[in-house]
């Protein structure tokens, strides 16, 4: 008998049967059956606009979520631009490194990795440095931290000459209440493989008109470029720079339908409830949270310290043998932190309880050996 494997990873998350079926359905060529493909494309864009509270256009690129990170920076940054990067985790560091690679003048505003950033500190730095771009990671997935956005978008509008506000909400979108227009986010990055439990095959970007002006000025033309999507709408010529992933668009539409059937506010509440349960159960089992400041704990992923008496590599193999696959971490957190991903289909009370039970059992075996 094959052992059931419980997967609570920080993404890509497990697709539901309906989403897998939509992904497997035969479709034609999006380059030839143009009207049919773009009916799905624009339906998905409209759904995302509704769910994210965004009135601008959304680029639905073909590729895994990291593509939109590179694509956004390539499309709007020029050498010598001042970029203010908010850093309290691995992806915040990553934005600073990418901007430096593009020869930008990078100013990093650092915060402790175990807590959310202080918006007032960021706003003070914006006033001081007049950046052309501010980058912020809403959910630092490797450390399980959800950062506040309070007032930062407004400060970019009021205290910079022509600054843009870029937010990576890849692993928070749809699991956290978020209104992109209200937060004055110019470039918003997300993907379907996290809370939506869709395929790891689309790279999505919300783009305001202010951001489009910068994109048009830069004229970047790479595979990940935003420029070819400028002005894309049903009344315009329906052209894309590459053959798009139509099955991924169909599958993501199916995932959105499931989310809307449950109700967006209900989905947010479910993630908050399961996250609290995970923290409570983990603490009861003697595990230590990476961040004890639960006010900034992510509703989509919980980061736990690897117990001092075990090696993460060995521990991960033992967990898998016991029927659980969860995530390790990266960079400075490698082998120090492991993560339970409770997002999308994995935001389930019974699954989280089972996961903590397996972890406790494996650790108990270590202590008795």
């Amino acid at each position: 008998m094959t052992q059931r494997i419980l997967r609570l990873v920080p993404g890509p998350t497990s697709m539901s049967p309906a989403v897998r079926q939509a992904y497997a359905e035969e479709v034609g060529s999006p380059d030839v059956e143009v009207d049919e493909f773009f009916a799905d494309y624009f339906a998905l864009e409209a759904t995302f606009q509704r769910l994210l509270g965004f009135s601008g256009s959304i680029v639905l690129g073909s590729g895994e979520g990291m593509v939109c990170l590179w694509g956004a920076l390539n499309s709007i940054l020029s050498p010598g631009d001042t970029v203010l990067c908010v850093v309290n985790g691995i992806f915040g560091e990553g934005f600073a490194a990418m901007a430096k690679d593009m020869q930008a003048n990078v100013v990093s505003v650092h915060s402790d990795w175990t807590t959310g950033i202080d918006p007032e500190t960021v706003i003070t730095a914006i006033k001081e440095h007049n950046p052309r771009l501010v980058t912020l990671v809403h959910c630092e997935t490797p450390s399980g931290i959800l950062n506040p956005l309070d007032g930062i978008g407004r400060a970019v509008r009021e205290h910079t000459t022509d600054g843009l506000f870029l937010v990576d909400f890849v692993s928070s979108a749809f699991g956290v209440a978020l209104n992109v227009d209200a937060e004055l986010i110019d470039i918003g990055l997300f993907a379907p493989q996290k809370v939506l439990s869709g395929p790891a095959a689309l790279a999505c970007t919300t783009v305001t008109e202010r951001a489009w002006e910068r994109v048009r000025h830069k004229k970047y033309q790479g595979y990940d470029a935003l420029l070819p999507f400028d002005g894309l709408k049903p009344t315009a010529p329906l052209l894309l720079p590459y053959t798009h992933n139509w099955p991924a668009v169909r599958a993501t539409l199916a995932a959105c339908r499931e989310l809307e059937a449950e109700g967006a506010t209900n989905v947010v509440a479910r993630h908050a409830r399961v996250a609290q349960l995970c923290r409570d159960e983990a603490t009861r089992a003697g595990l230590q949270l990476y961040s004890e400041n639960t006010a900034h704990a992510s509703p989509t992923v919980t980061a736990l310290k690897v117990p001092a008496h075990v090696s993460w590599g060995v521990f991960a193999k033992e967990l898998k043998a016991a029927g659980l696959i969860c995530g390790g971490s990266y960079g400075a957190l490698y082998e120090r932190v492991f993560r339970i991903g409770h997002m999308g289909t994995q935001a389930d009370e019974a699954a989280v309880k089972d996961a903590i039970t397996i972890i406790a059992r494996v650790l108990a075996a270590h202590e008795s050996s």
Side-chain angles (χ1 to χ4, degrees), residues 160-197:
T160 69
T161 304
D162 62 349
L164 299 176
F165 185 32
L166 181 152
V167 178
D168 169 351
F169 44 78
V170 171
S171 58
S172 58
F174 316 110
V176 176
L178 176 65
N179 186 298
V180 175
D181 278 347
E183 297 294 347
L184 298 178
I185 296 169
D186 292 297
I187 298 279
L189 313 177
F190 67 106
Q193 73 245 32
K194 300 286 190 175
V195 172
L196 276 179
S197 293

Side-chain angles (χ1 to χ4, degrees), residues 121-132:
T121 300
V122 177
I123 291 168
T124 297
I126 290 169
K127 293 177 181 178
E128 179 181 354
H129 295 284
N130 187 26
R132 294 203 79 209

